[in-house]
Amino acid sequence: MADVRYLDWPFFEDRHRSLARNLDAWATQNISDDHGDVDAQCKLLVRSLGQGGWLRHAVGGSAYGGAAEQIDTRAICLIRETLARHSGLADFAFAMQGLGSGAISLDGTAAQKERYLPRVAHGEAISAFALSEPEAGSDVAAMACAARIDGDHAVLDGEKTWISNGGIADFYVVFARSGEAPGSRGISAFIVDADTAGLEIAERIDVIAPHPLARLRFTNCRVSLSQRIGAAGEGFKVAMRTLDVFRTSVAAASLGFARRALDEALQRATTRKMFNGVLADFQLTQAKLATMATTIDSAALLTYRAAWQRDQGRNVTREAAMAKLAATEGAQQVIDAAVQIWGGMGVQSDQPVERLYREIRALRIYEGASEVQQLIIARELLKDVRAPSSNKG
Ligand SMILES: Cc1cc2nc3c(=O)[nH]c(=O)nc-3n(C[C@H](O)[C@H](O)[C@H](O)COP(=O)(O)OP(=O)(O)OC[C@H]3O[C@@H](n4cnc5c(N)ncnc54)[C@H](O)[C@@H]3O)c2cc1C
């Protein structure tokens, strides 16, 4: 097992510590680095994570297969960090089960929870979160995909793109413009089963770190209003509440990638012979290693502060944004340093550090690009200055 001294931090309870240790042991036994067909790999990982009991942490409500009544942020962060250290695709498989079903856990009806969550928790159904559109990424409120009400159905028309699990998901939580009010107040969320008439996979998208991704097209796609999550026009809030839970876990996944990169760098630096010694003998290398470790621990402190604070029921808008910004940007630097230490082998296809170099890149873009996190942090800071008494604590 890698260096897990951070598990002694006061942010955790003993159940978190044993969760992380047990998962690490399980992952060592059950997750291989074999990257063949990503669709098949991903389906296998979801099933295996379900059978291992880990996906229970991705859903809320013990009556619906969840490990707890509410999603425990520290648990999902530790799971993502641990899985990311073993395999980017395993982390992805876990994360998407949570993100894809998160809106149902948080705001779904009892019938929706009953129908979807147990299957998600057992790895029997794959979920996806469909918010982004070709013309609405960072600017979510520019969304154009329409949901027209027709009797007791909503009729969806439009496109969603960059949808993780697109093509292999059993259902999609889709956000569409239902028009109750302009901008973000006129959006509703719907659960759309993958086999619903009028939903098609318009395009599969390849990315630098392969995982299932697609553009979806909705054409006269009729969805019963019983599949709507939350009230009409409340979809934006539903999406933001879901992202609020999972944003900190993106930071945690970055930590997992960064810790693996540091492990790989240490291993190489202490064994690569040169100039009558090994690479780690040189102070320039030691400076790199020290910076890597310090970057990781500072990002980890921010990440687990945010996770702990959320589990106390407190607002984490600023803290989650700081965690995501510091952890994703820091991990990119740590991994780059690891590639440098590995030299030519660092850029050789499918070497662990080369894979990490590709894995980390998208995390600085999705679930709010770094610039969006900076804006959130600045907004919160300015809010404090402008209304000092009302925003503390
Ligand atoms: C691998 C991957 C998986 C994804 N999975 C999903 C998914 O499952 N579901 C889903 O709905 N979406 C998903 N997305 C989409 C993702 O959420 C968007 O890519 C992201 O929101 C950015 O939108 P965009 O790509 O349209 O970039 P744009 O909105 O065009 O932004 C481009 C760049 O502009 C900069 N920027 C943004 N805002 C500002 C600003 N205010 N000031 C200055 N600069 C700014 C940032 O650097 C940003 O990267 C995924 C994306 C990727 C890459």
Side-chain angles (χ1 to χ4, degrees), residues 132-322:
S132 304
E133 297 183 6
E135 302 302 328
S138 305
D139 184 6
V140 178
M143 166 182 307
C145 182
R148 175 175 53 84
I149 305 303
D150 180 19
D152 55 3
H153 282 71
V155 184
L156 303 189
D157 278 290
E159 285 198 346
K160 293 284 163 187
T161 196
W162 298 104
I163 306 309
S164 297
N165 276 344
I168 67 163
D170 294 290
F171 68 90
Y172 298 82
V173 169
V174 180
F175 299 86
R177 182 159 297 290
S178 41
E180 291 78 10
S184 61
R185 283 175 296 130
I187 291 168
S188 299
F190 300 93
I191 312 167
V192 183
D193 291 326
D195 58 4
T196 308
L199 163 58
E200 61 176 316
I201 305 301
E203 178 193 14
R204 291 298 298 265
I205 302 170
D206 291 330
V207 279
I208 54 174
H211 67 257
L213 199 68
R215 180 162 57 88
L216 315 179
R217 184 179 299 131
F218 299 89
T219 313
N220 205 17
C221 178
R222 293 178 69 81
V223 182
S224 164
L225 286 180
S226 65
Q227 296 285 85
R228 187 177 62 210
I229 304 173
E234 295 286 306
F236 187 79
K237 279 191 200 153
V238 171
M240 293 307 125
R241 271 164 54 76
T242 310
L243 289 171
D244 225 35
V245 178
F246 290 95
R247 182 164 292 139
T248 309
S249 80
V250 179
S254 307
L255 287 176
F257 291 138
R259 285 194 199 279
R260 174 71 182 268
L262 178 58
D263 290 347
E264 298 290 340
L266 286 167
Q267 188 270 326
R268 182 68 178 165
T270 49
T271 53
R272 174 61 168 163
K273 290 194 180 68
M274 61 169 73
F275 308 115
N276 297 319
V278 291
L279 185 53
D281 293 338
F282 304 107
Q283 289 184 336
L284 288 174
T285 312
Q286 292 168 13
K288 272 199 191 74
L289 294 170
T291 304
M292 292 163 83
T294 307
T295 303
I296 292 172
D297 269 11
S298 29
L301 284 162
L302 285 175
T303 302
Y304 288 107
R305 172 184 71 165
W308 169 82
Q309 193 165 312
R310 186 172 185 285
D311 288 339
Q312 309 308 304
R314 289 162 59 186
N315 182 290
V316 291
T317 306
R318 187 180 77 126
E319 289 75 12
M322 284 181 171

Side-chain angles (χ1 to χ4, degrees), residues 102-117:
I104 305 175
S105 287
L106 291 168
D107 290 307
T109 62
Q112 290 167 350
K113 290 179 181 183
E114 237 159 66
R115 179 159 178 220
Y116 292 98
L117 294 184

